[in-house]
Amino acid sequence: MIAAEETLHPIILIIILILAVGAGLWVGNNLGDASRKATKARGRAAKEESIAASLGKQAQGLISGSAVRLYKWRRDRKRKQRDRERVQ
C-alpha cells in the first residue's frame, strides 16, 4: 500500500504541473489575442501594453509560480520525511 502511495504522489504532482502550465499558457494566449484585438480597434501603438496583456502576464506568473512552489514544497516535505526515517 505504501509503495502505491509513493508512486501515486509524483504522478499526481506531474499532472498538476502540466495542467498549471497549460492553464497559464491558455490564459496568456487568450488575453494576448484580446489585447491585440483591442489595440487594433483603438488604433493605439503596439508598444503600449494594454490591461489585458498585463493581466495575462500576471496570471501566467501566478500559475507558473504556484506550480513551482508546490513542486518545491513537495520535494522538501519528502526530504524531511526521509531524514526522519533515517534517524529512527
Side-chain angles (χ1 to χ4, degrees):
M1 185 69 178
I2 293 174
E5 288 179 13
E6 289 177 4
T7 55
L8 187 61
H9 289 296
I11 292 170
I12 292 172
L13 182 61
I14 290 169
I15 291 170
I16 290 172
L17 286 171
I18 291 170
L19 290 174
V21 170
L25 291 172
W26 181 77
V27 167
N29 186 35
N30 287 339
L31 287 175
D33 289 343
S35 172
R36 282 188 289 278
K37 288 177 185 176
T39 301
K40 286 180 184 177
R42 290 185 187 145
R44 294 184 348 187
K47 293 178 184 176
E48 295 177 23
E49 188 172 290
S50 70
I51 294 172
S54 63
L55 285 175
K57 287 180 184 178
Q58 288 177 355
Q60 272 186 316
L62 178 67
I63 292 170
S64 299
S66 296
V68 170
R69 282 193 302 272
L70 176 66
Y71 168 76
K72 288 181 179 180
W73 173 77
R74 184 83 180 107
R75 183 183 62 189
D76 291 341
R77 197 170 143 217
K78 270 202 150 236
R79 282 184 188 160
K80 288 177 185 176
Q81 184 181 9
R82 263 188 264 133
D83 290 343
R84 274 189 251 126
E85 289 173 359
R86 288 180 187 165
V87 171
Q88 293 177 354

